[in-house]
Amino acid sequence: MEFVSGYRDEFLDFAALLFGWFRKFVAERGAVGTSLEGRWWQLEAQIRRLPQDPALWVLHVLPNRSVGISLGQGAEPGPGPGLGSARLLGDDPPLHLRDLSPYVSFVSLEDGEEGEEEEEEDEEEEKREEGGAGTEKVEPEEDRELAPSSRESPQETNPPGESEEADREAGGGKDGCREDRVENETRPQKTKGQRSEAAPLHLSCLLLVTDEHGTILGIDLLVDGAQGTASWGSGTENLAPRAYALLCHSMACPMGSGDPRKPQQLTVGDARLHRYRNLVSEAGEGWGPGFPSTPASLIPSSPLFRELESLVPRLGVKLAKTPMRTWGPRPGFTFASLRARTCHVCHRHSFEVKLTPCPQCSAVLYCGEACLRADWRRCPDDVSHRFWCPRLATFMDRAGELAALPFTYTAEVTSETFNKEAFLASRGLTRGYWTQLSMLIPGPGSSRHPRGHMPSLSLRGGDPYQLLQGDGPALMPPVPADPPRALFGSWQDYYTWRGLSLDSPTAVLLTYPLTVYYVITHLVPQSFPELNIQNKQSLKIHVVEAGKEFDLVMVFWELLVLLPHVALELQFVGDGLPPESDQQHFTLQRDGPEVSVRPGSGISARPSSGTKEKGARRDLQIKVSARPYHLLQGPKPDLVIGFNSGFGLKDTWLSSLPRLQSLRVPAFFTESSEYGCVMDDQTMAVATGGGTSPPQPNPFRSPFRLRAADNCMPW
């Protein structure tokens, strides 16, 4: 598939952004240790003319003594393709963090054990180090060899006439595109999964420039043993030229957002680097958030601080005398990946080149005429932009219809510049199931099961909605005493009956059970009236290629609220489910006013309604099969449902779709874009010779717009 915006882990886009900016920074800063007077005077003059940012900027110096990086065979530093941007943004990009496991893993340096940690656990580690799976591992290679080697120069894949225009548009960045293509061409020669026998790399220190709201503006990585790098253990003296170069580049080319600018004031976010000789009492009011009182009484003496104190004023920036004591996401916090976009063809970011959408469809972003022309002329014709452009224009026309939702926050969350992390953080939605929807990690004392693990099924106080809770008042009101008297066909009707305010964002989580409800009560009766599904007392439903919806399994309790007299069995099936959950079976049942979880033993029979009195409330059975759908054995279901399926992204669909067709049961699938629906139809034709029905908007779709890096389509 050409566009994977709705299927790809957001953190991979974030890692690709960090890698792309760091790679550009390394290429432009030159060798560390060269004369700052001679090398930076032009840049300094440019920065002095930049407009001032009223926000405080912070230089974070983050040492690391415990975690090393083990590179796989496909990511060896030195000659060879390495783990370049093509791994993260190329023609066959990874969709999940676990897809990078053949190339990189994290090891403990404290006890000498190279025990690999799972990628999903690494995600939280990366939030602290902000290095991303695509950044730490490439620094040695980038420092050693910045320019393309001779083996990269002869490129047959460049479209005619691209070279001159690309040089003009990208300022010589054309070679970056070529390098990406070389990596894609050479990747099959590498053996996936083969670990390097070399000692793990040690990321000794991370330099990070942010503003006071947490927006990342620049990053530098210091790796022990790499040419031109300094080690934290050697002291802070060698950090000053590196830190100054990073500050200059962050001002001239900010990663996070906005035009080039300089701060009015800068501080170093590490008290150890100030080494106060004369500390004073901190009683009374401080002079700013996170700062101690009476800053004039503090006398810093760190070598790094002293050098920066002489260098930073040359930029017209004031260096604060005190460190920022505490730093963390503020209400205005944003991840840099929310603003930086990429060219669909060469994958360069918006901080490297100016991106503009296709003038005809306005759907796809390009860095210039050369990449647009190359995409327009791609072969075969049915993958070219010339073929897709009219269709994409039609998809773009649907944006207004898809954004027609009744919520008070609709305009914000359906905007192309929607800042999801800021929205969730401002509402205190940073724990429980909400962390499954964003790159935010839970705060101290908050529990969260890592992605890809068996979700937590413990219920404090018997509340099935506890994982939907934020830091404020309860989001889910008590269940209405009477079941619904009519079928719901919109969020507005459901929210009214359920007693929810239209300011409540719970629709983002409840989209899963409400979509299942809509399929049962509306779509199956319309398309398969002979099944009489609404009169069934028990339903066995297969959720195929399950992923995020399994991580949010407790939200499906809402199905029993909406269909209280139906015995439901949900069987989650897919090879992306955690292996330890295979063959798991448990039941969510009512114990008076509360709900409890009762584990089952193996695969049980179809939920029986004969032992219950007529009209009795039913329980919800959950089963798990961690395998592709075509390998599943067992009784035929009443209904099959898939969420954001992406038929064209997994080869197993070519076997699972014929299996589904042979079952002759209703099967409904959601996608996050109309483009995905068209690709599903094409894959269905290849796999079975059949097709899918025309897509229609899901009235219970999630209100959150998904971020797209290389296109402007509504996902």
Side-chain angles (χ1 to χ4, degrees), residues 347-420:
H347 313 300
R348 283 178 291 176
H349 287 88
S350 53
F351 54 75
E352 301 175 89
V353 291
K354 182 179 179 180
L355 300 175
T356 54
C358 168
Q360 297 187 37
C361 67
S362 301
V364 187
L365 295 172
Y366 299 102
C367 65
E369 193 66 28
C371 283
L372 173 58
R373 186 172 62 250
D375 201 28
W376 189 267
R377 298 175 179 176
R378 287 182 63 186
C379 294
D381 185 66
D382 62 355
V383 300
S384 68
H385 188 65
R386 175 171 50 193
F387 175 85
W388 278 98
C389 191
R391 292 191 177 191
L392 298 182
T394 303
F395 301 162
M396 292 292 291
D397 291 340
R398 279 300 223 6
E401 179 183 359
L402 295 175
L405 294 165
F407 308 108
T408 59
Y409 48 81
T410 294
E412 176 183 359
V413 302
T414 59
S415 166
E416 194 176 341
T417 58
F418 171 46
N419 185 339
K420 181 172 57 177

Side-chain angles (χ1 to χ4, degrees), residues 660-715:
L660 281 171
Q661 191 180 49
S662 67
L663 291 177
R664 303 187 65 82
V665 298
F668 290 86
F669 299 89
T670 72
E671 289 292 358
S672 57
S673 72
E674 199 166 358
Y675 167 81
C677 296
V678 173
M679 297 304 298
D680 284 356
D681 188 63
Q682 292 182 3
T683 306
M684 185 73 178
V686 171
T688 69
T692 60
S693 61
Q696 56 181 293
N698 175 11
F700 292 105
R701 60 190 173 276
S702 168
F704 279 11
R705 180 166 182 159
L706 301 180
R707 185 66 177 171
D710 62 349
N711 67 89
C712 305
M713 285 185 284
W715 295 81

Side-chain angles (χ1 to χ4, degrees), residues 393-544:
T394 303
F395 301 162
M396 292 292 291
D397 291 340
R398 279 300 223 6
E401 179 183 359
L402 295 175
L405 294 165
F407 308 108
T408 59
Y409 48 81
T410 294
E412 176 183 359
V413 302
T414 59
S415 166
E416 194 176 341
T417 58
F418 171 46
N419 185 339
K420 181 172 57 177
E421 276 71 26
F423 178 88
L424 295 173
S426 67
R427 292 169 174 255
L429 304 177
T430 56
R431 59 189 179 95
Y433 278 165
W434 298 102
T435 60
Q436 301 291 334
L437 303 179
S438 76
M439 293 189 289
L440 298 176
I441 63 173
S446 300
S447 61
R448 171 191 178 186
H449 71 275
R451 286 183 177 90
H453 287 65
M454 190 68 177
S456 172
L457 298 173
S458 60
L459 298 178
R460 293 191 299 271
D463 181 9
Y465 303 111
Q466 63 182 15
L467 293 173
L468 281 67
Q469 184 59 32
D471 294 331
L475 292 178
M476 292 298 292
V479 175
D482 298 323
R485 297 181 179 180
L487 300 178
F488 303 129
S490 69
W491 281 122
Q492 177 85 55
D493 293 341
Y494 166 75
Y495 263 51
T496 300
W497 173 78
R498 198 61 170 83
L500 288 163
S501 165
L502 289 176
D503 191 55
S504 171
T506 52
V508 183
L509 297 173
L510 295 176
T511 180
Y512 296 102
L514 267 294
T515 296
V516 176
Y517 166 82
Y518 183 72
V519 170
I520 294 172
T521 59
H522 288 74
L523 298 186
V524 175
Q526 291 173 12
S527 301
F528 305 93
E530 68 278 5
L531 297 181
N532 200 23
I533 194 170
Q534 289 176 293
N535 292 327
K536 289 181 176 289
Q537 294 188 356
S538 64
L539 286 175
K540 182 183 180 70
I541 302 172
H542 285 177
V543 182
V544 296

Side-chain angles (χ1 to χ4, degrees), residues 276 278 280 285-288 291-300 320-322:
Y276 306 121
N278 181 23
V280 299
E285 293 187 4
W287 60 294
F291 291 90
S293 304
T294 328
S297 302
L298 303 176
I299 306 175
K321 302 292 185 181
T322 53

